[in-house]
Amino acid sequence: MRFTHETLGQRVVFASGDAPAAVTAEVAALGATRVMLIAAPAEAALADRVGADLPVVVRHDEVVMHVPVEVAQRARQAAAEGSVDALVCVGGGSTTGLAKAVAMTTGVPIVAVPTTYAGSEATNVWGLTDGEIKTTGVDTRVLPRSVVYDASLMLSLPVEMSVASGLNALAHCVDSMWGPRVDPIDQALAGEGIRGLAAGLPAVASDPAGLEGREQTLYGAYLAAVAFASAGSGIHHKICHVLGGMFDLPHAQTHAVVLPHVLAFNAPFAPEAERRIAQAFASPTANEGLAALRRALGAPRALDDYGMPKDGIRRAVAPILAAVPGNNPAPLTEENLTALLRAAWEGSEPA
């Protein structure tokens, strides 16, 4: 057994029902006295609660999906004008992504308070979109210094969005099984992440007001993100980043649609990873386990439903081929990638 595993340095606080006090403590531990509070208008009420006892000097609410570069620049300017020494972001992946964009150029530390299961808060990965091109990278400055997980903040997240966001987290687990830097620790974390998500998401769907399902889903989403940060971005995420940036598709739903097609594509060429995924689902095969979960959740099915044009299949092939890591388990060609994208666009069964 020969591998090198790097663990990212981050404090993680699970504090159901106690986010305001936990966030205040994390900001105080940083010695920060001038906080920039980032939250989209839809999260304003939650941000009010979380930031009630913080020394907020800048309140910023321009949050846009996929973090366009011009939006990032305005946020950076607001941070500079306010001489902020800490960022507190309350929201999903787009909000966390905006905080990362500010941290990347300023070095200001982030305390992240997620309200979805996106997982961006536990990675050192950033993403910015310029026109139709979404660029991602890795930078230690963008890793939030602390994360406060409060499952009670998820109770207002509708079931439909919870399902999409949770399946996005599940995609982190699956991609981590064969990412470009994958090691056995990543696979162990990803397997436990799948188990947590497979237990938590049906509970959220059946009892949206229940805290236990939300906690299990958060737990799984966190493990998924930690595994993904180490293993690196595989074929699934390269596909979704290209499609999301090119056609402005909703992030979580895009991942939820593409996931079963990527799993079916790679599983025959990665038997050990397939066995681990199946075991985490407690299913005979990985594909059957994911399919059963998707049926139980009424998961998103077709990219066509979210605004991707049919001719987008042809347009996306070349940039995806250029982005996918060379060590992907299944050989990728223009022909089989086109077939995968067509099936995801139509919402047909994975081949």
Side-chain angles (χ1 to χ4, degrees), residues 93 116-120 161-174 197 201 221 224 236-237 240-241 251-257 259:
T116 71
Y117 309 107
S120 175
M161 189 60 211
S162 296
V163 166
S165 184
L167 290 174
N168 175 28
L170 192 62
H172 291 137
C173 294
V174 171
L197 289 161
L201 282 170
H236 173 90
H237 282 76
C240 292
H241 288 163
H251 182 84
Q253 290 85 347
T254 301
H255 283 267
V257 169
L259 176 58

Side-chain angles (χ1 to χ4, degrees), residues 239 257-258 260-262 264-265 303 308 313-314 316-317 320-321 331-351:
I239 290 173
V257 169
V258 171
H261 301 279
V262 169
F265 182 73
L303 294 175
M308 178 175 164
I313 297 171
R314 173 186 54 78
V317 167
I320 291 172
L321 285 172
L332 192 63
T333 66
E334 183 176 339
E335 182 180 31
N336 60 25
L337 176 58
T338 299
L340 186 157
L341 293 176
R342 183 180 299 113
W345 183 83
E346 295 172 344
S348 56
E349 289 300 312

Side-chain angles (χ1 to χ4, degrees), residues 149-242:
Y149 288 113
D150 180 348
S152 71
L153 300 183
M154 310 289 175
L155 295 176
S156 60
L157 188 67
V159 169
E160 184 178 350
M161 189 60 211
S162 296
V163 166
S165 184
L167 290 174
N168 175 28
L170 192 62
H172 291 137
C173 294
V174 171
D175 234 14
S176 295
M177 290 291 185
W178 44 59
R181 301 185 302 272
V182 65
D183 63 47
I185 296 174
D186 301 328
Q187 292 181 324
L189 291 168
E192 177 64 4
I194 292 171
R195 190 205 61 76
L197 289 161
L201 282 170
V204 170
S206 63
D207 182 17
L211 207 58
E212 186 174 348
R214 303 280 183 174
E215 288 179 330
Q216 277 293 308
T217 304
L218 260 184
Y219 165 72
Y222 167 70
L223 292 176
V226 172
F228 180 69
S230 175
S233 184
I235 179 175
H236 173 90
H237 282 76
K238 295 304 184 183
I239 290 173
C240 292
H241 288 163
V242 169

